[in-house]
Amino acid sequence: MSSVSFNRALYLRAAEDLRPNEKQWQAYESTGHCVLLAGPGSGKTKTLTVKLARLLSEDVDEPRGIACITYNNECTRELENRLDALGITPGGRVFIGTVHSFSLTQILLPYAKVAGLGLPDEFTVASRQQTRAALVAAHAKVIGGPENPQDWEMRLGRHRRRFLNRERPEWKTLDPQLSGLVEAYEAELRALGLIDFDDMPLLAVRALAANKWLRTAMVAKYPILAVDEYQDLGLALHGMVMGLCFSAGMRLFAVGDVDQSIYGFTGATPELLRRLSEREDVETVRLGLNYRCGSRIVSASEYALGEERGYKAPEDAHEGTIYFHPCTGGYAGQARYLIEELIPEIRERRPDIILGEIAVLYPAAFLGDDVANAAAEYGYSVIRTDGNALYPRGSRLMRWLEQCAMWCCGGWRSGTPRLSRVVSEGTRLFYEAIADEDKRLAFQRDLTAALWDRRDESLGLYDWLTALRDDIIRSQVDLARSLADEYCTLNDFLARIGPVGDVDDFPLAEFAGIGIGLDRINLSTLHSAKGREFDVVILFGAEEGRLPRNNATENDVREARRLFYVGFTRARHEIHLMYGQHNSSRFVTEVQERLEGE
């Protein structure tokens, strides 16, 4: 059987699961621009991936393909895993990645030289150290004074992302000093032949706007554009969609939920999705069932959101439970109660639960320190996905190395993960360095040999990672233009677990377990938990001053409520709300009062 017919059989079988849900089936059957408004637990990822498989099989002839843009590398991996189950591997005809990755790999690297962007021929992506140095130099020229230039970083980023067209008079008049700082900062980067993370989508939008031939080329390669988590992706992505889909003829399938827009500090604007869904030339489908949460959690989630959306649980859904835990002793006291009493109580009530199905979510990363310390004292292992984790969970290189470790720690026997998948992900990670077939085959041969020789879960992680870095990774990074920060992340982690680091080295099997996380309590900020789900969620530090923060604006309060709603709807069976005894968040108080009034 050919791969195409095999893929077709897989997605047709999966599509039958969508048929009983009228709205999912409507989205699956759509033939033009379509916006899928999908609340928590509504099956949107399954709908999206099955739809993509159908589009690739039925609507797009080879060698043309489909581009799918999503918010971050975690979302990318989830989509890749789902599509892999349908027999579709990214690469070739299928692009799956962030808006930054799309901008860099599909527009800037191939076309910057001829698109009139004024970039050096061999520009590279700046490391974090280089962007800091550029900001220091620009600040000295434009502002001066004794303040820390890094205090301007967030304002500078927001200002850059706000103005896609700097020909507008507001660029010069709204905040001349900030605009001057942006221009000086970018000039410092360009003088060194660099672009930064924010440059990628901003330059890509300018290139598309200024060059009709480029829009035509993109539509020729990708006649269909899918966008996941549309509400989080901001003005630059919206500008691309408007130009490619509503001017140049690319077909759009967008998925999102304005109620889960929680990245306002990065420029996310939920109004853009709402505006898109109201266009007359777009078919808008709203999913109304929540398959994840128990029925009581679904109904209470509307109290958490403060809005009625009409979401329902399926008729055969479990009920779910909401618990309230006022605590004394500050955050350390809350953490002790959580570990000493609450976790054992949950495990007694649910004897079959594994620790990986319990998540402790909090509004700020430092709150995880108290929980991690208490967990360590009582012998619990944790996996952190916040700013204080051992390494950033969004790092593509580190997540790939986790996959390599899993293969070396038994995956070579079980087939989970498959070696072909590990090699394929590595090939895409280092695509810039693997420019031709001979280099690709050499990389695959060298990586396979390196992993085969290191199939020993008792190996120390430091030695294993150091050898893989020196034998495989360094030579690839030297030839790449976009992996400087990823390489710094690896080296920083090695320094921490090395002989003079602040973290004891640990076995390779433990590193592989980070990728699996089965026997570890999940610790995560609310932001990092988006898109995930757990049997039990403990919302830690749900207090005034944190959720929302002190002196919050009206917009800040709205986004904090959406953040609370996102955390609330991660739970399948139980949601536990923890807070200081006399300082519960207004959102917690409202949920409790409305539940008591039922």
Side-chain angles (χ1 to χ4, degrees), residues 156-413:
L156 178 137
R158 280 199 301 261
H159 198 63
R160 294 173 77 194
R161 292 187 292 267
R162 180 175 179 181
F163 289 93
L164 298 184
N165 179 7
R166 295 183 184 176
E167 301 302 315
R168 292 172 52 191
E170 293 91 338
W171 174 250
K172 296 293 187 184
T173 60
L174 185 66
D175 191 332
Q177 185 183 54
L178 194 50
S179 293
L181 181 63
V182 168
E183 291 172 353
Y185 166 76
E186 291 176 351
E188 293 289 333
L189 290 180
R190 301 298 182 268
L192 297 172
L194 301 171
I195 67 171
D196 73 355
F197 194 67
D198 277 338
D199 270 321
M200 296 176 192
L202 294 173
L203 290 170
V205 169
R206 285 179 215 160
L208 289 168
N211 298 281
K212 183 179 178 181
W213 62 265
L214 180 54
R215 299 193 296 274
T216 302
M218 295 307 300
V219 175
K221 185 174 184 179
Y222 298 119
I224 296 176
L225 173 66
V227 182
D228 189 22
E229 305 289 0
Y230 196 100
Q231 74 284 347
D232 292 330
L233 288 160
L235 280 171
L237 183 277
H238 189 68
M240 287 186 202
V241 167
M242 290 299 104
L244 290 172
C245 299
F246 297 100
S247 296
M250 196 178 280
R251 179 174 158 193
L252 176 68
F253 187 83
V255 182
D257 180 13
V258 294
D259 294 330
Q260 296 186 75
S261 179
I262 57 173
Y263 296 104
F265 59 91
T266 69
T269 309
E271 180 60 30
L272 298 176
L273 175 59
R274 185 178 291 111
R275 202 181 304 160
L276 181 67
S277 70
E278 292 171 352
R279 288 180 63 105
E280 291 185 359
D281 52 355
V282 167
E283 180 180 3
T284 297
V285 181
R286 182 182 295 275
L287 300 183
L289 285 178
N290 181 332
Y291 294 99
R292 174 191 303 151
C293 305
S295 56
R296 188 159 175 76
I297 296 174
V298 172
S299 59
S301 71
E302 297 203 330
Y303 305 154
L305 183 62
E307 305 253 1
E308 289 189 15
R309 292 290 185 257
Y311 293 128
K312 303 291 183 187
E315 291 183 3
D316 59 349
H318 56 275
E319 185 175 32
T321 316
I322 301 106
Y323 298 88
F324 298 87
H325 301 279
C327 298
T328 58
Y331 295 130
Q334 288 186 44
R336 282 194 302 274
Y337 168 76
L338 190 160
I339 296 297
E340 290 178 10
E341 299 185 40
L342 184 52
I343 295 290
E345 175 196 313
I346 291 168
R347 299 183 84 180
E348 183 177 352
R349 184 169 57 250
R350 305 179 62 83
D352 294 332
I353 197 168
I354 58 174
L355 291 178
E357 287 297 346
I358 300 174
V360 183
L361 312 181
Y362 31 84
F366 80 90
L367 295 174
D369 294 343
D370 286 316
V371 181
N373 291 337
E377 185 178 341
Y378 282 82
Y380 287 104
S381 295
V382 302
I383 175 169
R384 296 186 70 163
T385 53
D386 60 28
N388 291 339
L390 278 174
Y391 51 85
R393 298 292 293 161
S395 166
R396 292 176 296 152
L397 176 58
M398 296 304 295
R399 293 301 299 272
W400 175 67
L401 286 168
E402 289 175 7
Q403 294 286 308
C404 293
M406 289 167 65
W407 189 84
C408 288
C409 292
W412 60 279
R413 290 193 202 93

Side-chain angles (χ1 to χ4, degrees), residues 461-463 466 469 491 493-506:
L461 179 60
Y462 178 78
D463 289 341
T466 300
R469 179 195 64 184
N491 285 325
F493 178 58
L494 280 169
R496 293 194 67 182
I497 64 172
V500 295
D502 64 323
V503 176
D504 291 337
D505 192 12
F506 48 89

